[in-house]
Amino acid sequence: MYKPDYLMMTPGPSIVRENVMKKRSEFFGNPDLDEDFFIFYDKLAEKTAKIFGCKKESMILMSGEGMVGLDSACASLTEPGDRVLVIENGLFGAGFADMVRPYGGVPVTLSFDTKRKIDIEKVKEFLEKDSNFKFATVVHCDTPTGVLNDVKEICRLLKSKGILTVVDTVAAIGGEEFNALEYGADIALGGSQKCFSAPPGITMLSVSSDAWKAIKGRKTPIASFYCNLSYWEDCVEKRLFPYTMPSSDLMGFDMAVDNMLEEGIENIVERHHKTAKMCRDGLKELGLKLYLEDDFSSTVTAFYVPEGFTVNEFIKRLKDEYKIFIGGSYGPYADKVLRIGHMGESAKTEYIERTLEAIKDMLGK
Ligand SMILES: *Cc1c(COP(=O)(O)O)cnc(C)c1O
């Protein structure tokens, strides 16, 4: 049996509250046929929309973790030959190019320093020369480094050029401010296992009226069944989901959303700011070097592995000896960078204290 005994401080999945686990264990009914399940889904979409800052009708809750959301946005918007502007300063951002190509999209990547947020002025300059794009992609918090982008300004700029936006806010929403309608984000997407603090399994998307227009105005059919968003537009009215909904996942997710709304989004964002700062200050006090100098997301802190350790050794010792599990990183940062997640339920001062204490002890300080 798989039964972890550690404090989970990884940058997703995050800690799941007991009431969410309990809800998942309850009898789930028939999500295909039961009228009450559609009512439940509709209410859950309405509650989730409050967190995304969009209308209930814009909200889609799909089976699958975050990547299904990214894939669905790309599959549903991209037609063969469409140029897509991939604005990136990290691995998730750059990865969008690989997600539009299978649908015949032509990605044009605009790259930025991974240690800084995306430079709006440079995006503006670029768009003055070339703005012939169907849509653009951008990541709110690029998790492998924890850099936070100003998606509000980016979405507004793109909208002013008539370019649709796809915003991956999987690692930020519920920990940083976000508002799809106010920002004009056309498709924004999240995952259940980050700041929502539910187990992986659900991806949430807000789809604007402009995005629906683009999806419905396509000249070519969407080249995917599972990732075809058009099935979702009026699935509640039609009482027909494109596939059997993961009822236990959604019941747990519903509890997690209730937990969030009870605390209040503003309070949650403030709690994340506080714990993130505490984490950064604590690491610096221990003589450790943060990966970023500025533009930190409040959901994850990346820092260089201390001398005398490899990333894997550090993680293993913290896990085995102190029962605290933190993350390494990916790509160019894989053997250099460690990451502490403070997302949702993990963003608590007591957990940060425990983690910092353990690191201090391990470093012999
Ligand atoms: C976690 C994450 C995803 C989704 O990845 P999963 O496979 O669901 O873990 C997408 N984008 C970002 C920025 C993420 O942090």
Side-chain angles (χ1 to χ4, degrees), residues 66-78 84-87 92-93 96 99-100 118 134-140 151 154-155 158-159 163-170 178 184-190 204-208 211 214-215 229:
M67 298 315 283
V68 175
L70 272 72
D71 201 3
S72 299
C74 293
S76 302
L77 288 178
T78 314
V84 179
L85 182 61
V86 175
I87 310 173
F92 277 103
F96 266 114
M99 304 196 88
V100 300
I118 288 163
K134 170 84 160 284
F135 67 98
T137 64
V138 65
V139 177
H140 195 179
V151 289
I154 296 171
C155 287
L158 289 159
K159 187 113 285 195
I163 302 168
L164 296 169
T165 46
V166 171
V167 180
D168 170 354
T169 182
V170 177
F178 186 77
D186 289 297
I187 298 188
L189 51 104
M204 309 81 87
L205 302 102
S206 71
V207 182
S208 74
I215 292 169
L229 290 178

Side-chain angles (χ1 to χ4, degrees), residues 264-315:
I265 303 306
E266 277 169 26
N267 296 333
I268 293 177
V269 169
E270 199 184 297
R271 171 163 60 79
H272 279 78
H273 284 313
K274 199 171 123 195
T275 36
K277 183 168 188 309
M278 183 181 177
C279 185
R280 293 193 299 267
D281 290 350
L283 290 170
K284 281 192 279 189
E285 240 167 68
L286 293 174
L288 297 169
K289 189 173 172 342
L290 303 182
Y291 180 77
L292 301 171
E293 278 159 31
D294 208 348
D295 307 325
F296 305 103
S297 170
S298 292
T299 55
V300 51
T301 299
F303 60 103
Y304 288 101
V305 65
E307 244 174 81
F309 287 91
T310 66
V311 163
N312 287 341
E313 275 165 14
F314 194 94
I315 294 170

Side-chain angles (χ1 to χ4, degrees), residues 50-70:
K50 285 190 186 143
I51 299 170
F52 272 75
C54 69
K55 293 200 200 112
K56 170 180 91 171
E57 296 73 34
S58 306
M59 204 70 230
I60 297 174
L61 304 166
M62 288 173 79
S63 181
E65 41 57 63
M67 298 315 283
V68 175
L70 272 72

Side-chain angles (χ1 to χ4, degrees), residues 332-358:
Y333 332 103
D335 50 4
K336 291 188 201 117
V337 170
L338 292 159
R339 292 179 305 152
I340 297 173
H342 20 85
M343 295 176 164
E345 292 291 315
S346 315
K348 299 229 168 106
T349 49
E350 60 185 286
Y351 298 153
I352 301 291
E353 272 164 13
R354 249 176 87 185
T355 306
L356 291 169
E357 275 304 313

Side-chain angles (χ1 to χ4, degrees), residues 38 230-231 234-241:
F38 286 94
S230 69
Y231 297 134
D234 44 14
C235 61
V236 174
E237 290 90 280
K238 285 188 180 149
R239 297 293 191 251
L240 185 67
F241 292 115

